[in-house]
Amino acid sequence: MEIKHVEKPAKSSRFHDFWVSFKKQKVSLISAVFLLLLFIVALFGQYFVPYDPAKVDYGQLFLKPSAAHLAGTDAYGRDIFSRILVGARISLSVGLSSVFLGALAGSALGIISGYFGKWIDSLIMRFCDILLAFPGMLLAIGIIAILGTGLMNVIFAVAIFSVPVFARIVRSSVLEMKSSLYVEAAKSTGAKDTRIILKHVLPGTFSTIIVYFTMRIGSAILIAAGLSFLGLGADPSTPEWGAMLSDGHNYLNTAPHVTIFPGLAIFLTVLAFNLLGDGLRDALDPKIKD
């Protein structure tokens, strides 16, 4: 008797389903390409910049944008385009590092708060309410006033500013999963809380964390640039976008390009992260349909 082999239809992977949904978001896809190029520039920009970003040339002060200097030169004759390319590494590093720390601490607090509830939930949420009561920039300035100036302290300040946001978002996801059948089934079999959290609850929060992580990077870059603009972040000589804005704001009437191009870099980067976050949310959230 001949046994026929029946081929089962291949199941589409989660990544395939995500990609099919994500590539429909044209604006988000363009933002992803832009950010990919920006990360390449951040990693390798120092090797192909047209000029030394730290070289001072007093014979080339305030040159307007041209073929030789695409974004012109600043008050010290330094090439602005080269400084923007090199500064991409600093701004992205600050944004990614601060949001990563904030997401790590905030997600842990959110999982503990949502899963265990009771007085632990109340204590953590009241702590988050205190942090959220302050405007983001004001809270960051207060933390910098305690820790001191410098990029490392800016990272910690922006990280603390991000903690309550992640804590509240993750808590809401955990509360929803906590009452699901598979969590209840795991509890009924006698599984420990640690195992349930790591195997069932934590994976269910990944999509939410990824979306808000992406969107939060833009806010972090904006806050970090604002602190540097106020003289509380990067050293003024550093090619950091906020510090470059601070250098150029005194010359808005005579040489506006000194401020326009760093500001444009911040604007496009923050916008790209926000648009990418919107696209990821639509692609990862099964409740959102076209």
Side-chain angles (χ1 to χ4, degrees):
M1 180 178 178
E2 184 179 355
I3 300 175
K4 295 183 179 180
H5 176 69
V6 179
E7 293 185 358
K8 295 181 179 179
K11 293 183 179 180
S12 59
S13 65
R14 289 185 179 180
F15 177 77
H16 178 266
D17 294 339
F18 160 77
W19 175 245
V20 170
S21 178
F22 180 73
K23 69 181 182 180
K24 296 177 182 178
Q25 315 290 331
K26 301 300 182 183
V27 176
S28 298
L29 192 60
I30 294 172
S31 299
V33 173
F34 171 80
L35 291 174
L36 178 61
L37 294 176
L38 188 64
F39 276 106
I40 293 174
V41 167
L43 291 173
F44 307 107
Q46 59 181 343
Y47 299 110
F48 56 80
V49 290
Y51 299 94
D52 182 353
K55 183 180 180 180
V56 175
D57 187 352
Y58 291 107
Q60 304 286 325
L61 305 183
F62 296 123
L63 294 182
K64 294 182 178 180
S66 63
H69 298 277
L70 296 179
T73 60
D74 62 10
Y76 299 95
R78 298 171 297 192
D79 183 65
I80 295 175
F81 182 68
S82 299
R83 290 175 64 78
I84 289 175
L85 293 183
V86 174
R89 173 181 293 185
I90 300 174
S91 295
L92 289 177
S93 297
V94 172
L96 287 170
S97 301
S98 59
V99 175
F100 175 78
L101 292 175
L104 194 64
S107 299
L109 290 175
I111 290 173
I112 294 171
S113 176
Y115 185 81
F116 293 102
K118 299 181 180 179
W119 65 269
I120 297 177
D121 182 28
S122 298
L123 182 63
I124 293 175
M125 287 300 100
R126 296 301 77 75
F127 169 72
C128 292
D129 289 341
I130 293 172
L131 292 180
L132 290 172
F134 297 93
M137 179 62 78
L138 184 60
L139 177 62
I141 291 174
I143 296 170
I144 289 293
I146 297 172
L147 300 178
T149 59
L151 279 179
M152 285 303 299
N153 291 336
V154 168
I155 291 175
F156 287 121
V158 179
I160 294 173
F161 156 69
S162 300
V163 166
V165 178
F166 280 99
R168 282 192 167 277
I169 291 169
V170 172
R171 173 182 176 270
S172 64
S173 296
V174 172
L175 288 174
E176 184 177 351
M177 288 182 291
K178 184 180 176 181
S179 58
S180 61
L181 291 176
Y182 60 87
V183 172
E184 293 293 338
K187 287 182 179 180
S188 66
T189 60
K192 294 182 178 180
D193 290 331
T194 305
R195 177 178 175 81
I196 294 174
I197 290 173
L198 294 178
K199 189 174 181 180
H200 300 290
V201 176
L202 182 60
T205 64
F206 282 161
S207 60
T208 302
I209 292 174
I210 289 171
V211 170
Y212 283 94
F213 183 93
T214 305
M215 300 181 74
R216 202 66 181 173
I217 294 174
S219 300
I221 291 175
L222 196 59
I223 294 291
L227 291 172
S228 295
F229 180 83
L230 295 173
L232 301 176
D235 186 89
S237 62
T238 305
E240 194 270 339
W241 294 342
M244 293 174 67
L245 278 178
S246 181
D247 285 341
H249 81 282
N250 291 323
Y251 311 106
L252 280 173
N253 293 328
T254 56
H257 65 276
V258 178
T259 303
I260 289 174
F261 288 101
L264 189 61
I266 296 172
F267 169 75
L268 291 176
T269 303
V270 173
L271 179 64
F273 273 114
N274 289 338
L275 292 175
L276 177 60
D278 286 338
L280 290 175
R281 180 195 59 199
D282 294 346
L284 292 172
D285 192 344
K287 298 176 183 177
I288 299 177
K289 302 294 182 183
D290 292 336

